[in-house]
Amino acid sequence: MPITPKHCQTLELPKVLELLAGFTNCEQSRDWALGLQPHDNYVSAVKEMTFTADAHRLTNRFGYPVFYKIKNCAGALKRAELGSSLTLRELLDIALILKTTRGLAAWKAQAEGDTALDPAFECLYQNHALETRLTNSIVSEEELDDNASGELADIRRKIRNSGLKIRSQLDSMIRSPQIQKYLQDPIVTIRDGRFVIPVKAEYRGEIKGLVHDTSSSGATFFVEPMSVVEANNEIKILENKERIEIERIIAELSAAVGECAGQIGGGYDAAAELDLYFAKSRLADRMRASVPELGDGGETVLKKARHPLINADKAVPIDIALGGEYDTLVITGPNTGGKTVAIKTLGLLSLMAACGLMIPASDGSRVAVYDSVLADIGDEQSIEQSLSTFSSHMVNIISIVREAGPGSLVLLDELGAGTDPVEGAALAVSIIETLRRRGARIAATTHYPEVKMYALETPGVENASSEFDVKTLSPTYRLITGIPGRSNAFLISGRLGLDPAVIERAKELISSENTRFEEVVSELERTRQTLDEERNAARLARVEAERIRAEAEAQRSKLEADRERELEKTRRDARRIIEETKLRAEILYEELDEIKKQKDKEDFGKLLTRSKAEYRSAMKELDELSDPVVAREAQQQGLPRPLEKGDIVYVHTLGKEAMVLKKPDGNSVQVQAGILKVTVPIADVSLGAPKKQKDKPAGPRKRGASLRGVASKAERNVQTELDIRGCDSEEGVMELNAFLDRAVLSGVKSVRIIHGKGTGVLRAAVQQRLRQHPSVESFRLGVYGEGENGVTIATLK
């Protein structure tokens, strides 16, 4: 049996449909929204829900398409198809339909994937040429554009030119001193579509022309001078041509519409259908709704469901299930505790799902598609029919019992109320048993303990209660399944100010059996609330522990990542230093080998061999130090004073002494250790002896110099070549001075200074110093085979 409007009205479905209609954009879709009927067929309901779900999925990804306020032009389209001319208003409405369908088609083109709405999108008719022609030809519902046709533009141009000519002619007249004295006002106006001038009544005969009107007082005649009569006649002829051309254009546009009237009408219907589904999506967004799973087995499971007509920020979500382990749910609890709202929510959400509407409940909710939803809710007392509240309820229940069947959802509020409690309770149990035998799913509210006991003792019937906070003596509106509730009439009455003596006497009048039952229910309620509090506390503790664990894990991961980055950075720096050192070492080896070839002394060769061995040993130590995984404590001694250029320091990272090349810059300092020039942290160095107290470390610039500073005096006496490539001009000159002093002491007559080609700055500094040095007799640049301008040959005195 179809779901009747009466029961839909009882569950307030029309109010939800009013909300839905508010999101539509055209008359047709609004009418469809207001007229929605719940499907009593599972397949139809699933199909309708699929349309809504796909519309919602598309809008979540691509936003909402644009719907204009289009009108149903079925009548106008039919007349156009039969050859009648339409009004400009009707043509504009049709152009808006074409604009809407084109926009919808373009919107769908950018949306990816197939949907259940694709057939509706495919029915959207697009005729961009006709749409453009209509919108460009019509200015408003009363005027065509000049460019609607070439003929119309030409006629209107001639009308304007003729009007300007007449105005010019009349302006000359009213400016004339002879004419002005006859005029009421020196202006040109229009009467009956003709240009006229206002003439004083007493001078009517002074200006020859036709009178077209007089003022209300009779003091002014509006005269068309004879000189412009012919021109005004020409305008009238042109205006008649304009009217004929406008009628022709409208007829032509109407004929163009008539040729595709069927497609335009189909496009409008498709657009209206899409408008309805996207309105459902907008309603779902407002209600924070989700797509439920529909079933045909009679089982409904609502998770965190909210009544759609209650403010979402104020509504207390409830969990309610029916049709699974039990087919009947008996809801008890205090008045204003939310019992009625609970069964209304169950019924209304079932109807909404059957209409293809998403429901305000959490994901994972399941709704059965019922053959009928039957509800007896509220006070329907009828004075006209001489029916009391009880009688009115019984009339509804009798009808419900007749109609109920295996596919029915029955909702009964305050079952058995309004009559003798004993008889009412017995009648309530009997009605529930009858409906169960008919296979219906039942949700009923009651205050009777007999019905609670029936639910406790009967398989397939379950108790539920509206939670009541005994501490605050107020309902929480939560629905607790599995435990019967108390009416709490005594507690509420006491809170409202009833004499405690009256309440105590009332308790004495309750039968001992009912008292024990209520005490058991109270104890169950207290136990449940205690368990809920402990469970909530445990949940909060678990959430806090999870948060702390996640933070610790994130910190550990961050530290591990930082450690790996630092290790990798240190390895890269160490490898770079080693590679640079090895490269410079190879150069030294070659230089030492060359010196060995030039010398015949056996002890000198042994000395070079030992130097190589010592250098390789040092390189091996540096290789071991390049792995930062091996912890090495810095031998930090501190600095007794700021570092100066020329200071000898000990670099703990390199494990050797070095000379400061520049004053420290911030927290780092540039030093030279042997052949290496590096920048190291100030915290990694300690101050050694002053430069004048130590021998300058030998570097690769001095050909034949030992890596460990072990070159003998004999070596220095025979040194004839100095390599200062890579030095700046100041350092190079210092090296040159020391080299020349040693050469003079050794008795060398000719020396070779290797300064490189480069920019020529170092070469110029060397030659400038050679000019000034008292021991230099002459100097020249090298020739081919000597190094050309990369070296300078000096002759000593």
Side-chain angles (χ1 to χ4, degrees):
M1 179 179 293
I3 299 173
T4 60
K6 174 186 175 182
H7 297 291
C8 292
Q9 185 75 37
T10 300
L11 293 171
E12 301 180 290
L13 179 63
K15 293 183 179 180
V16 176
L17 298 183
E18 282 284 353
L19 294 176
L20 174 63
F23 289 110
T24 58
N25 294 278
C26 64
E27 298 172 358
Q28 186 66 62
S29 55
R30 177 178 175 81
D31 292 341
W32 286 343
L34 294 174
L36 276 181
Q37 292 292 323
H39 291 281
D40 58 359
N41 176 273
Y42 169 74
V43 175
S44 300
V46 169
K47 182 180 179 181
E48 196 70 18
M49 184 62 75
T50 302
F51 290 148
T52 305
D54 282 358
H56 195 252
R57 178 172 58 83
L58 285 174
T59 56
N60 284 341
R61 293 187 60 189
F62 306 105
Y64 284 97
V66 176
F67 285 92
Y68 297 100
K69 298 290 184 179
I70 54 178
K71 296 181 181 180
N72 190 344
C73 299
L77 291 170
K78 187 64 177 176
R79 286 190 286 109
E81 194 173 17
L82 294 175
S84 298
S85 291
L86 305 181
T87 65
L88 294 181
R89 177 71 269 169
E90 289 172 332
L91 290 173
L92 283 175
D93 290 340
I94 291 170
L96 190 59
I97 292 174
L98 291 172
K99 182 179 180 180
T100 301
T101 54
R102 178 175 56 83
L104 289 173
W107 180 87
K108 181 60 176 69
Q110 56 90 36
E112 302 171 354
D114 299 330
T115 69
L117 298 174
D118 288 352
F121 278 106
E122 291 171 0
C123 291
L124 295 172
Y125 177 65
Q126 299 182 70
N127 191 331
H128 191 47
L130 177 59
E131 175 197 344
T132 303
R133 186 178 176 188
L134 290 172
T135 53
N136 290 345
S137 299
I138 305 173
V139 176
S140 68
E141 58 186 72
E142 297 177 350
E143 181 183 0
L144 276 180
D145 191 271
D146 290 356
N147 297 317
S149 74
E151 180 66 18
L152 181 63
D154 185 58
I155 292 172
R156 287 182 173 176
R157 179 176 52 77
K158 290 179 180 179
I159 291 174
R160 286 192 295 270
N161 291 338
S162 296
L164 291 173
K165 183 178 179 182
I166 294 174
R167 277 188 174 278
S168 177
Q169 201 170 346
L170 292 179
D171 283 343
S172 298
M173 289 182 64
I174 63 178
R175 285 196 297 269
S176 170
Q178 293 79 11
I179 301 297
Q180 282 186 354
K181 61 184 179 180
Y182 303 135
L183 302 179
Q184 195 70 257
D185 293 297
I187 60 173
V188 176
T189 185
I190 295 176
R191 288 293 185 274
D192 297 331
R194 304 177 76 90
F195 290 94
V196 296
I197 56 177
V199 179
K200 295 178 181 178
E202 58 268 27
Y203 298 117
R204 162 67 186 85
E206 299 297 328
I207 296 179
K208 304 297 182 182
L210 304 176
V211 177
H212 286 279
D213 196 6
T214 60
S215 65
S216 57
S217 63
T220 303
F221 284 80
F222 294 96
V223 178
E224 178 187 5
M226 293 303 296
S227 58
V228 297
V229 169
E230 189 62 31
N232 272 324
N233 289 340
E234 181 66 23
I235 290 178
K236 283 294 184 181
I237 294 172
L238 290 172
E239 288 176 346
N240 187 55
K241 290 182 178 180
E242 178 190 26
R243 180 181 56 77
I244 294 172
E245 179 63 14
I246 288 174
E247 291 176 355
R248 186 194 68 77
I249 293 171
I250 292 176
E252 188 177 284
L253 293 175
S254 300
V257 170
E259 291 176 359
C260 51
Q263 296 94 318
I264 296 174
Y268 170 82
D269 291 339
E273 182 181 359
L274 291 170
D275 184 30
L276 176 63
Y277 292 126
F278 286 109
K280 289 182 178 182
S281 176
R282 289 183 184 273
L283 179 65
D285 287 339
R286 172 177 171 174
M287 292 183 174
R288 306 175 195 171
S290 63
V291 179
E293 177 187 353
L294 298 182
D296 59 351
E299 180 181 4
T300 295
V301 179
L302 299 178
K303 300 178 180 179
K304 298 189 181 304
R306 292 173 281 103
H307 196 286
L309 299 179
I310 299 177
N311 189 311
D313 296 325
K314 297 181 180 179
V316 178
I318 62 172
D319 294 334
I320 186 169
L322 185 66
E325 298 178 358
Y326 47 88
D327 56 37
T328 301
L329 188 65
V330 176
I331 304 174
T332 53
N335 290 324
T336 71
K339 302 188 302 297
T340 302
V341 172
I343 62 172
K344 274 192 170 184
T345 301
L346 173 62
L348 182 54
L349 265 56
S350 298
L351 293 176
M352 288 175 61
C355 289
L357 296 172
M358 296 165 61
I359 62 173
S362 294
D363 292 337
S365 296
R366 180 182 176 87
V367 178
V369 178
Y370 298 103
D371 296 340
S372 60
V373 177
L374 310 170
D376 176 57
I377 298 174
D379 186 0
E380 298 186 12
Q381 186 179 37
S382 174
I383 297 176
E384 293 181 358
Q385 299 181 19
S386 301
L387 295 177
S388 66
T389 299
F390 175 75
S391 300
S392 177
H393 277 296
M394 287 311 301
V395 169
N396 287 337
I397 291 173
I398 290 169
S399 174
I400 287 171
V401 171
R402 289 199 191 104
E403 297 177 16
S408 299
L409 171 64
V410 178
L411 306 172
L412 303 172
D413 188 29
E414 298 295 347
L415 182 59
T419 187
D420 178 76
V422 175
E423 293 180 355
L427 193 59
V429 172
S430 178
I431 290 171
I432 291 174
E433 288 180 339
T434 302
L435 291 171
R436 292 190 68 207
R437 284 195 299 270
R438 289 179 173 270
R441 305 291 188 270
I442 309 158
T445 68
T446 185
H447 287 283
Y448 293 136
E450 292 84 357
V451 182
K452 303 176 191 178
M453 187 64 70
Y454 169 76
L456 285 172
E457 297 174 345
T458 307
V461 182
E462 185 61 87
N463 269 304
S465 62
S466 295
E467 188 180 50
F468 187 83
D469 191 339
V470 295
K471 296 178 181 177
T472 62
L473 297 180
S474 60
T476 65
Y477 302 105
R478 290 179 58 209
L479 187 67
I480 310 300
T481 302
I483 299 177
R486 299 182 62 197
S487 298
N488 292 297
F490 294 156
L491 288 172
I492 295 174
S493 299
R495 183 184 182 187
L496 294 174
L498 186 63
D499 189 343
V502 176
I503 296 175
E504 288 300 321
R505 177 55 181 160
K507 290 180 179 179
E508 293 174 1
L509 296 175
I510 298 178
S511 66
S512 59
E513 182 179 347
N514 282 342
T515 301
R516 287 194 300 273
F517 179 77
E518 292 296 329
E519 288 175 353
V520 170
V521 171
S522 298
E523 184 61 31
L524 283 173
E525 180 65 15
R526 284 193 293 271
T527 302
R528 185 197 60 77
Q529 290 186 359
T530 301
L531 290 175
D532 276 353
E533 291 174 359
E534 293 177 353
R535 182 176 59 194
N536 288 336
R539 180 179 59 80
L540 292 175
R542 184 177 68 253
V543 169
E544 181 65 15
E546 288 291 329
R547 184 186 65 79
I548 294 173
R549 186 193 65 78
E551 289 179 355
E553 182 65 23
Q555 185 66 17
R556 187 192 65 79
S557 300
K558 182 177 181 299
L559 290 174
E560 186 68 24
D562 292 344
R563 175 178 173 275
E564 287 298 325
R565 281 196 299 271
E566 289 300 322
L567 288 176
E568 183 59 29
K569 180 177 180 298
T570 305
R571 289 190 182 99
R572 287 198 303 268
D573 292 344
R575 291 192 189 101
R576 178 181 56 78
I577 293 172
I578 292 172
E579 292 299 325
E580 183 178 351
T581 304
K582 286 181 177 179
L583 177 62
R584 295 182 180 274
E586 291 298 327
I587 296 173
L588 284 176
Y589 290 157
E590 293 176 2
E591 292 178 346
L592 292 173
D593 286 339
E594 185 177 348
I595 293 173
K596 184 177 179 181
K597 292 176 183 178
Q598 295 175 359
K599 304 300 178 181
D600 298 328
K601 296 182 179 180
E602 183 177 350
D603 57 344
F604 189 82
K606 291 179 180 179
L607 179 62
L608 293 179
T609 302
R610 184 170 65 253
S611 297
K612 288 184 179 181
E614 290 175 353
Y615 185 83
R616 290 193 180 97
S617 176
M619 290 301 301
K620 182 176 181 183
E621 292 176 2
L622 192 55
D623 272 329
E624 293 174 354
L625 292 175
S626 68
D627 189 354
V629 176
V630 180
R632 189 165 56 88
E633 295 184 1
Q635 301 173 2
Q636 185 75 9
Q637 297 180 3
L639 296 174
R641 62 173 175 79
L643 295 177
E644 299 290 341
K645 180 178 178 180
D647 283 341
I648 301 300
V649 295
Y650 183 79
V651 183
H652 298 285
T653 302
L654 301 177
K656 61 170 62 177
E657 291 181 341
M659 182 177 70
V660 177
L661 297 178
K662 294 181 181 179
K663 288 188 69 173
D665 181 15
N667 296 323
S668 60
V669 60
Q670 186 179 28
V671 300
Q672 179 170 349
I675 63 172
L676 294 180
K677 288 183 181 179
V678 294
T679 299
V680 297
I682 293 179
D684 196 37
V685 303
S686 57
L687 191 62
K691 180 179 178 183
K692 62 184 181 180
Q693 296 177 358
K694 291 183 176 284
D695 292 333
K696 185 177 186 289
R701 305 183 185 94
K702 300 173 184 174
R703 197 165 187 83
S706 171
L707 291 173
R708 295 292 186 178
V710 296
S712 65
K713 184 177 180 180
E715 280 183 276
R716 293 196 298 270
N717 289 339
V718 297
Q719 189 174 2
T720 60
E721 184 177 272
L722 173 66
D723 187 353
I724 56 174
R725 287 175 295 182
C727 293
D728 58 26
S729 58
E730 184 179 355
E731 292 174 346
V733 170
M734 290 174 61
E735 294 282 354
L736 177 61
N737 287 335
F739 171 72
L740 292 174
D741 291 343
R742 291 194 297 271
V744 170
L745 291 175
S746 302
V748 176
K749 294 301 182 182
S750 178
V751 294
R752 181 170 179 254
I753 301 101
I754 305 174
H755 43 67
K757 299 178 181 179
T759 61
V761 174
L762 184 57
R763 179 177 66 241
V766 168
Q767 293 181 354
Q768 179 65 24
R769 179 56 187 149
L770 291 176
R771 290 189 188 96
Q772 299 171 352
H773 200 282
S775 299
V776 176
E777 186 175 50
S778 63
F779 63 90
R780 63 175 175 83
L781 289 174
V783 297
Y784 183 79
E786 290 181 326
E788 300 180 355
N789 58 353
V791 302
T792 296
I793 309 299
T795 303
L796 304 180
K797 294 179 181 178

